[in-house]
Amino acid sequence: MATEDVVLLDCWASPYCMRVKIALEEKGIKYEERAEDLFGGKSELLLTSNPVYAKVPVLLHKGKPLCESSIIVGYIEETWASPPLLPSCPYARSQAKFWVDYVDKKLFDAGGNIWRTKGEAQEVAIKDFIEVLKQLEKVLGDKDFFGGDSFGFVDIITIAITSWFLAFEKFGNFKVEDHTPKLSAWINRCMQRKTVAKVIPDPEKIYEVVINLKKMMGME
Amino acid sequence: MANEVVLLDFWPSPFGMRLRIALAEKGIEYEYKDEDLRNKSPLLLQMNPVHKKIPVLIHNGKPVCESLVALQYIDEVWNDKAPLLPSDSYLRAQARFWADFVDKKIYDIGRKLWTTKGEEHDAASKEFLDCIGVLEGELEDKPFFGGETLGFVDVALIPFYSWFLVYEKFGNFSVEAEHPKFIAWVKRCMEKESVSKSLPEQEKVYDFVALMRKKFGIE
């Protein structure tokens, strides 16, 4: 299949884009990455492919656009069967989708609240973030991955956001490992995978992105 | 194996209505349990410890939470009748996208119509009608979002019609005047028993909201 068949409108720092890239890598799909300048000027292609939200990631498969990262990963899972990212049993699939929804609703925003706030508000934000991590650690239990023995959908959706954890830790002055050591071990386990290591950027670079975001938003 | 289905729900919840419609479309028998959300049952707290919200679908004792997750579960398990999602993976992704759009927009913006005032309220009124317009555009000339038959997006969206008296009175607009094609779609959906029997009367929902406004001290 030609590379031009699969195009990703991308931003290297976006955990939502990272998810899609990891899924494509896991399935061994060749794709073309097109970097979008989200602050300088979004491309015509992005604006026409995602008229509703004008956001990345957008996956174009044979020219047809797909938007919203969890939905894109679902599409990748259904279009390229191997290796499977979701279990085959409907109940287990529903549980995986529930946790994908939980991560989508809670994790990134909880982390974002840490660097967006100071003082007491920040303390509350850190507490809320750690509660989300503890919930995820509970779900992981003693399994190697959220998918069980194998790396799957929930792992992909979640591991992308962990690239921003160093930034949250530095601004909040805490360490994830101190609160959820099993989850930290899971992060390291995922980072051993070629597909993940290839896609996840250096967390120090993400930290710099957040510093710049704060400057842009006029925060000190 | 016995096929026991229980639905923990709350009668005015559009999210609960989604599951009522799906279960009716598929001809699935189930036990309906209406929750008092000010006094949640031990069963609800046990079955949805993470969010403590309705609806919860309980199938043979195992809970499925989050209405769109439960809709997909129902579609996968009872796949012999009335499919909600198409078989083509691109069309499935599109259906999920629009159901997600409904989730992100309609409920929260609709809520602002009866809980806010002034600038925030006016902005919400405009945004609500814009969203209906976007959905109307997506429908095009199809009878339903699912094509010839009721599909995933139809089931996700139609429950909000039971709240339209609330939205129109507090939003101070008429959806039919602004988006007649949308209302034509509504009427087609309401002709189906699975839909009309799953939605409460608009007046009942309006009375419920009037009560909530009094309770929250909203003028």
Side-chain angles (χ1 to χ4, degrees), chain B residues 188-218:
Chain B
R188 281 192 290 276
C189 291
M190 293 300 288
E191 277 170 11
K192 293 183 165 288
E193 217 178 69
S194 58
V195 175
S196 59
K197 288 205 163 163
S198 301
L199 267 55
E201 277 172 33
Q202 291 187 339
E203 285 75 14
K204 259 190 100 182
V205 178
Y206 184 81
D207 289 343
F208 165 74
V209 169
L211 213 68
M212 299 301 316
R213 277 168 60 95
K214 253 202 200 124
K215 261 215 183 100
F216 294 144
I218 306 168

Side-chain angles (χ1 to χ4, degrees), chain A residues 52-53 64-68 71 75 78-79 90-91 93-95 97-99 101-102 105-106 135, chain B residues 50-51 62-66 69 72-73 76-77 89-90 92-94 96-98 100-101 104-105:
Chain A
V52 176
Y53 301 115
K64 297 204 290 190
L66 294 120
C67 310
E68 293 302 295
I71 293 174
Y75 173 78
E78 290 185 4
T79 305
Y91 188 73
R93 291 159 76 82
S94 75
Q95 297 308 94
K97 286 174 186 174
F98 174 86
W99 290 111
D101 177 74
Y102 177 83
K105 281 188 168 104
K106 303 267 186 182
Q135 176 65 258
Chain B
V50 175
H51 300 301
K62 298 201 287 191
V64 184
C65 309
E66 292 305 302
V69 174
Q72 290 180 73
Y73 176 78
E76 285 183 24
V77 172
S89 57
Y90 184 75
R92 288 161 76 85
Q94 292 304 95
R96 287 174 176 140
F97 174 87
W98 287 108
D100 177 68
F101 175 84
K104 282 181 162 80
K105 300 278 185 180

Side-chain angles (χ1 to χ4, degrees), chain A residues 10-29:
Chain A
D10 178 54
C11 168
W12 70 270
S14 157
Y16 303 103
C17 294
M18 289 173 216
R19 292 165 166 184
V20 176
K21 284 182 271 190
I22 294 171
L24 290 166
E25 294 286 341
E26 284 284 317
K27 300 277 188 179
I29 307 301

Side-chain angles (χ1 to χ4, degrees), chain A:
Chain A
M1 174 166 47
T3 310
E4 313 85 69
D5 275 1
V6 183
V7 176
L8 177 68
L9 304 184
D10 178 54
C11 168
W12 70 270
S14 157
Y16 303 103
C17 294
M18 289 173 216
R19 292 165 166 184
V20 176
K21 284 182 271 190
I22 294 171
L24 290 166
E25 294 286 341
E26 284 284 317
K27 300 277 188 179
I29 307 301
K30 290 210 185 310
Y31 60 99
E32 180 194 339
E33 237 175 89
R34 284 196 205 167
E36 284 285 333
D37 180 358
L38 299 180
F39 301 105
K42 294 174 180 177
S43 74
E44 196 58 44
L45 184 60
L46 174 57
L47 299 174
T48 50
S49 305
N50 192 355
V52 176
Y53 301 115
K55 284 184 177 180
V56 291
V58 176
L59 189 77
L60 292 143
H61 185 201
K62 297 186 179 164
K64 297 204 290 190
L66 294 120
C67 310
E68 293 302 295
S69 61
S70 298
I71 293 174
I72 298 172
V73 175
Y75 173 78
I76 291 168
E77 165 67 355
E78 290 185 4
T79 305
W80 293 281
S82 180
L85 301 173
L86 279 172
S88 46
C89 145
Y91 188 73
R93 291 159 76 82
S94 75
Q95 297 308 94
K97 286 174 186 174
F98 174 86
W99 290 111
V100 164
D101 177 74
Y102 177 83
V103 170
D104 265 352
K105 281 188 168 104
K106 303 267 186 182
L107 190 56
F108 196 59
D109 284 348
N113 286 338
I114 295 173
W115 61 263
R116 286 188 163 97
T117 55
K118 282 202 290 206
E120 237 185 81
Q122 193 185 54
E123 280 175 40
V124 172
I126 295 168
K127 188 171 161 291
D128 287 346
F129 178 73
I130 290 168
E131 257 180 57
V132 175
L133 295 185
K134 289 206 158 134
Q135 176 65 258
L136 290 172
E137 198 179 53
K138 202 170 149 195
V139 177
L140 180 67
D142 290 314
K143 304 195 296 289
D144 277 349
F145 301 105
F146 285 96
D149 290 330
S150 45
F151 186 75
F153 207 105
V154 181
D155 301 280
I156 292 176
I157 294 304
T158 314
I159 195 63
I161 300 178
T162 67
S163 61
W164 283 60
F165 278 15
L166 182 71
F168 303 154
E169 287 174 323
K170 281 196 170 182
F171 280 107
N173 195 24
F174 71 100
K175 282 209 175 285
V176 167
E177 198 176 21
D178 291 343
H179 300 274
T180 50
K182 276 187 169 175
L183 197 68
S184 292
W186 164 81
I187 295 172
N188 292 335
R189 206 173 297 126
C190 290
M191 292 302 296
Q192 303 293 326
R193 294 179 79 77
K194 262 200 218 149
T195 54
V196 177
K198 185 178 177 189
V199 168
I200 301 284
D202 180 0
E204 290 286 351
K205 295 219 162 88
I206 298 289
Y207 177 57
E208 282 167 32
V209 164
V210 179
I211 292 174
N212 283 329
L213 277 173
K214 283 185 68 128
K215 266 197 199 129
M216 267 198 306
M217 290 159 88
M219 293 179 188
E220 264 321 321

Side-chain angles (χ1 to χ4, degrees), chain B residues 9 45 62 75-76 107 148 156 186 188 199 214:
Chain B
D9 198 346
L45 299 176
K62 298 201 287 191
D75 207 34
E76 285 183 24
Y107 182 73
E148 295 302 312
V186 165
R188 281 192 290 276
L199 267 55
K214 253 202 200 124

